[in-house]
Amino acid sequence: MGLTKTEIFTQEQNHLAVMLKAMAHPARIAILQQIIKANTCICGDLVEELGLAQATISQHLKELKTAGIIQGTIEGVSVCYCINPTVWNELQKQLSAFFSTYELKTNCC
Amino acid sequence: MGLTKTEIFTQEQNHLAVMLKAMAHPARIAILQQIIKANTCICGDLVEELGLAQATISQHLKELKTAGIIQGTIEGVSVCYCINPTVWNELQKQLSAFFSTYELKTNCC
DNA sequence: TTAATACATCGTAATATTGCGATACAAAAT
DNA sequence: ATTTTGTATCGCAATATTACGATGTATTAA
């Protein structure tokens, strides 16, 4: 075992899980915050901002990119990363909808 | 290695990561959806609803409970799980704030 | 008391994640 | 052409996750 049984879940459930997983790490949250904060896309100053090795940051960036949350374009020698607006808004909408399905019912445990 | 360097991140970043991680699995998303759908708190019919073994469901429930997202109270022989409204709303607010920090700037890559 | 029911926990196998040094690679500067 | 600079990838060690059978535990039923 050790691998998720994706077959038994819906596409939506699996997809949402993948997106949440991509964000479910403090380093990746920090990276996203940095990318958002530096409204002009930043590159590898992330290595200096966060206290992680270059290889590690690069790996985290890859995971965010694979999930589609960020995108990177080569900018001369360096690479410019920024939020993928489409995916970001889609995820925001999906999460908002998910959280909204719950409303406090009186008689609960 | 293999363990996250939590020391170098803020409490908020670590906490948000923990919450997202708790939700970042299709089975746990399905569990939350079921708990929300059955507005009266449900118990271990989750085992029948999802196609996972009882031990596995119990383990996933524990993770959600540890994160504080759900709470369980003993109801005779069975256990009744439901959303923890405080934590749920808190997380909703935090995520909403996080997503709102991004707004499309014109000149991006 | 004993059996049944509903969960929780233990132990374990398979796999995934995290972090980093070392190294490869590609564009720009010399 | 060679060096420099910024990133990506490889390979590895340490640890975490996922899933489940087996077993423990606590409450109700008989």
Side-chain angles (χ1 to χ4, degrees), chain A residues 32-82:
Chain A
L32 289 173
Q33 288 174 330
Q34 266 295 320
I35 290 182
I36 290 170
K37 190 174 156 195
N39 40 17
T40 163
C41 317
I42 56 142
C43 329
D45 358 55
L46 288 164
V47 180
E48 295 189 7
E49 288 288 338
L50 320 183
L52 290 170
Q54 184 266 320
T56 308
I57 297 288
S58 193
Q59 202 172 261
H60 282 306
L61 285 167
K62 191 184 180 185
E63 284 179 69
L64 287 169
K65 206 164 65 178
T66 301
I69 297 175
I70 64 172
Q71 56 197 186
T73 39
I74 299 168
E75 196 88 14
V77 188
S78 49
V79 174
C80 163
Y81 282 105
C82 61

Side-chain angles (χ1 to χ4, degrees), chain B residues 26-64:
Chain B
R28 293 196 288 271
I29 289 173
I31 287 173
L32 289 173
Q33 288 174 329
Q34 266 295 319
I35 291 182
I36 290 170
K37 190 174 157 197
N39 40 20
T40 164
C41 317
I42 57 142
C43 330
D45 357 55
L46 288 163
V47 180
E48 295 188 8
E49 287 289 337
L50 320 183
L52 290 170
Q54 184 265 319
T56 310
I57 298 287
S58 194
Q59 202 173 260
H60 282 306
L61 284 168
K62 191 184 178 184
E63 284 179 69
L64 287 170

